[in-house]
């Protein structure tokens, strides 16, 4: 298995144009709870790579192995990390799952982090502490391709975003970027995104928010409201988001 992912990694760093689809998904419920998912889809990259892999790799048992695995985030952490967590962080990690769906023969490679927030306060805490919870690269331990690519798979951008200020409550979800924190984040991770650019990795980035009631107001001009007015979708890519970070701001009332 290690040999297989080494081959894929070498193909990527050789300059192959690839694509990693990134998505944040929020599904709000009438009782105030919310299901959150951060999704990473590398299927397009895998489909391109498949044409360049030698037959010896494609015919290996590892290449034909399909996976559909869900692992509790807390249980995936090493004991040393668990011992450093406070009681609230423990609950947050125990309510999070790591998900991997992989079938290389069918050009399928997806990974997700999923969380169920009980209420607005719980969701606010989770979003403000997600970057700390995922800073040790635990997603990449589940997804070998991501582990090889390390910080060039897009997870750093989606999971490392501690530069937003949130206002979450009954019938509203506001997110506004803190420019000072964002500039600090860019400076700290400059090499990460330079690597992604050098590897020609395209990163479409989508946010979807689904509410139990119709949306009455959304202030982002790029946001698309569904026909039933219950789902807001914001579509861009990582490069554009860096050039104009304010495009990721939104205030939604429902």
């Amino acid at each position: 298995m290690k040999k297989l992912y080494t081959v894929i990694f070498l193909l990527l760093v050789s300059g192959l144009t690839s694509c990693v689809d990134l998505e944040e998904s929020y599904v709000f419920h009438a009782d105030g709870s919310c299901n959150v998912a951060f999704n990473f889809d590398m299927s397009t990259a895998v489909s391109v790579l498949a044409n360049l892999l030698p037959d010896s790799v494609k015919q290996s048992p590892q290449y034909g192995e399909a996976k559909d695995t869900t692992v509790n985030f807390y249980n995936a952490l090493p004991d040393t990390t668990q011992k450093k967590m406070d009681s609230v962080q423990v609950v947050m990690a125990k309510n999070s799952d790591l998900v991997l769906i992989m079938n290389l023969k069918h050009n399928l490679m997806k990974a997700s982090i999923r969380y169920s927030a009980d209420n607005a306060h719980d969701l606010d805490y989770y979003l403000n502490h997600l970057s700390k919870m995922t800073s040790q690269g635990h997603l990449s331990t589940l997804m070998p391709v991501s582990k090889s690519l390390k910080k060039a798979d897009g997870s750093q951008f989606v999971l490392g975003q501690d530069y937003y200020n949130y206002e979450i409550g009954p019938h509203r979800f506001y997110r506004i970027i803190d420019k000072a924190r964002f500039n600090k984040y860019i400076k700290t991770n400059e090499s990460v995104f330079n690597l992604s650019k050098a590897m020609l990795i395209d990163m479409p980035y989508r946010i979807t928010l689904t509410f139990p009631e119709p949306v009455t107001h959304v202030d982002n001009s790029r946001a698309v409201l569904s026909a039933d007015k219950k789902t807001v979708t914001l579509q861009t890519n990582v490069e554009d988001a860096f050039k104009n970070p304010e495009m990721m701001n939104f205030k939604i009332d429902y």
Side-chain angles (χ1 to χ4, degrees), residues 162-163 165 177-188 245-246:
D162 59 353
Y163 40 77
N165 293 317
I177 199 163
D178 183 311
K179 290 185 179 179
R181 282 155 55 193
F182 180 77
N183 290 335
K184 180 180 179 180
Y185 170 82
I186 291 296
K187 185 175 181 180
T188 301
E246 288 86 356

Side-chain angles (χ1 to χ4, degrees), residues 101-165:
I101 301 174
M102 182 176 72
N103 190 324
L104 298 180
K105 281 192 172 182
H106 290 83
N107 301 324
L108 184 64
M109 174 73 78
K110 297 181 179 181
S112 303
I113 290 184
R114 300 175 182 175
Y115 179 75
S116 297
D118 293 332
N119 49 52
H121 176 76
D122 186 14
L123 178 60
D124 183 85
Y125 184 92
Y126 178 76
L127 294 175
N128 281 296
H129 292 80
L130 177 66
S131 62
K132 294 181 180 179
M133 191 180 80
T134 59
S135 61
Q136 300 304 314
H138 301 299
L139 178 64
S140 63
T141 65
L142 179 65
M143 189 173 176
V145 169
S146 180
K147 184 177 182 180
S148 297
L149 292 174
K150 296 188 182 297
K151 298 177 180 178
D153 60 1
S155 62
Q156 180 72 10
F157 173 71
V158 176
L159 301 177
Q161 48 178 267
D162 59 353
Y163 40 77
Y164 288 116
N165 293 317

